[in-house]
Amino acid sequence: MDGWILKSVIVNIFIKKNMRKKIVAGNWKMNNDLSETETFLAELKEQVFPEDVELIVAPGFPNLYHSFQSVREHPVVIAAQNMHQAEKGAYTGEVSAGMLTSVGITTVILGHSERRAYFGETNELLAEKVNTARKNDMTVIFCVGEELADRKENTHFKLVENQLSESLFHLEEADWKNIVIAYEPVWAIGTGETATPEQAQEMHRFIREKIAARYSTELASGVSVLYGGSVNPGNAGELFAKEDVDGGLVGGAALKVDSFMAIANSF
Ligand code: PGA
């Protein structure tokens, strides 16, 4: 490749990566009661926020309204970790999109592997949840990822492709402005085991290629694809440096402000 072509390829990659939103999202799971939530948010609000990184925090349902009110003057998005697919009705114990938006929550994590594994959420059900979220004009952080057995059997690409196509590829192009993908290999979640930056990049590129094949390269290059699974301040930098890695969905290391912010400052 001559120098000029190489330079334009590099500039092109740089422009594409910089077109996409960089995001660091904290998924608190079933952690942090009201006082722990208040302590975290009070400390968070004192931080200097990186200008080009969107920060998202996803507390438990009872603390969403309070959290939203607490950070509304700050560049922090409060997200829900789940919601029901029906608009309303006799679904004891469930939370609807309308309930979330009525308290200011317009972002929801869907398809987390813990929801899939412990609550039986299938690709088909998740397609319904995604539709309901979009009907209510919500942004979806949609999680995909394989279990260790899939990777060992070399079926991980196919599995992730199915998760994308069965839950998201019926969407209209316009919906993709409000879709963020989180690739979370299940074997790396809460285990201290992280995918190598190369493994993450390989799958992120694959995800982007599948979106490009279904829609267009332009659309695909605008979709933020986050990595999740034991992200911490020590490994975030090399993961985020990869071309197709646009940030992280963080569990354990998002429970403390210092590690959360250290990750947000790792780009
Ligand atoms: P972890 O969780 O960072 O604790 O591995 C990530 C996630 O499940 O989103």
Side-chain angles (χ1 to χ4, degrees):
M1 212 185 285
D2 76 23
W4 189 85
I5 297 178
L6 184 63
K7 199 170 152 204
S8 74
V9 167
I10 292 169
V11 168
N12 209 14
I13 288 169
F14 181 79
I15 290 171
K16 278 191 184 147
K17 180 149 172 126
N18 280 277
M19 248 170 58
R20 297 192 282 275
K21 224 192 258 178
K22 295 180 191 138
I23 299 171
V24 171
N27 171 18
W28 284 2
K29 311 189 180 185
M30 203 168 69
N31 295 296
N32 286 346
D33 62 13
L34 177 59
S35 89
E36 290 160 331
T37 301
E38 280 177 334
T39 304
F40 180 100
L41 295 175
E43 211 184 305
L44 184 67
K45 288 189 281 186
E46 286 168 11
Q47 306 299 309
V48 178
F49 296 101
E51 263 179 30
D52 57 345
V53 182
E54 181 169 297
L55 294 185
I56 302 178
V57 176
F61 284 130
N63 297 317
L64 286 176
Y65 180 58
H66 179 79
S67 301
F68 171 75
Q69 292 293 348
S70 167
V71 301
R72 63 185 309 167
E73 306 292 321
H74 298 264
V76 177
V77 172
I78 300 296
Q81 300 172 20
N82 178 38
M83 57 166 232
H84 196 266
Q85 64 276 20
E87 294 286 351
K88 57 164 67 176
Y91 301 100
T92 302
E94 290 295 328
V95 171
S96 72
M99 290 174 186
L100 293 173
T101 56
S102 74
V103 296
I105 306 302
T106 56
T107 301
V108 63
I109 299 171
L110 292 177
H112 190 279
S113 62
E114 287 149 19
R115 301 291 321 166
R116 293 175 188 266
Y118 308 145
F119 303 96
E121 296 196 359
T122 60
N123 293 344
E124 197 182 15
L125 172 81
L126 288 166
E128 285 181 50
K129 291 194 177 199
V130 168
N131 290 344
T132 305
R134 288 304 307 129
K135 248 189 239 158
N136 286 272
D137 209 15
M138 296 179 78
T139 293
V140 175
I141 301 175
F142 190 81
C143 305
V144 297
E146 81 283 359
E147 307 216 3
L148 190 56
D150 304 308
R151 190 163 270 270
K152 285 192 170 149
E153 285 159 24
N154 208 24
T155 51
H156 49 303
F157 288 111
K158 191 71 204 149
L159 183 119
V160 168
E161 183 178 353
N162 288 345
Q163 290 174 331
L164 292 170
S165 65
E166 290 172 21
S167 301
L168 298 178
F169 282 179
H170 61 283
L171 291 173
E172 306 282 332
E173 284 198 11
D175 288 312
W176 282 84
K177 286 199 177 61
N178 295 90
I179 303 289
V180 172
I181 305 286
Y183 168 57
E184 300 204 306
V186 181
W187 47 273
I189 295 179
T191 58
E193 183 141 351
T194 325
T196 63
E198 291 69 32
Q199 285 172 323
Q201 168 57 25
E202 186 185 32
M203 185 60 89
H204 283 228
R205 167 159 300 169
F206 175 80
I207 289 168
R208 209 178 298 288
E209 279 168 6
K210 290 295 148 196
I211 299 171
R214 164 65 183 85
Y215 296 91
S216 67
T217 307
E218 202 193 338
L219 184 148
S221 63
V223 177
S224 297
V225 184
L226 315 183
Y227 170 78
S230 299
V231 175
N232 62 48
N235 59 27
E238 46 176 8
L239 286 160
F240 298 172
K242 288 293 177 192
E243 187 188 331
D244 288 289
V245 179
D246 306 307
L249 179 57
V250 187
L255 294 172
K256 293 275 172 285
V257 171
D258 55 353
S259 51
F260 183 59
M261 289 308 296
I263 293 169
N265 284 307
S266 293
F267 288 92

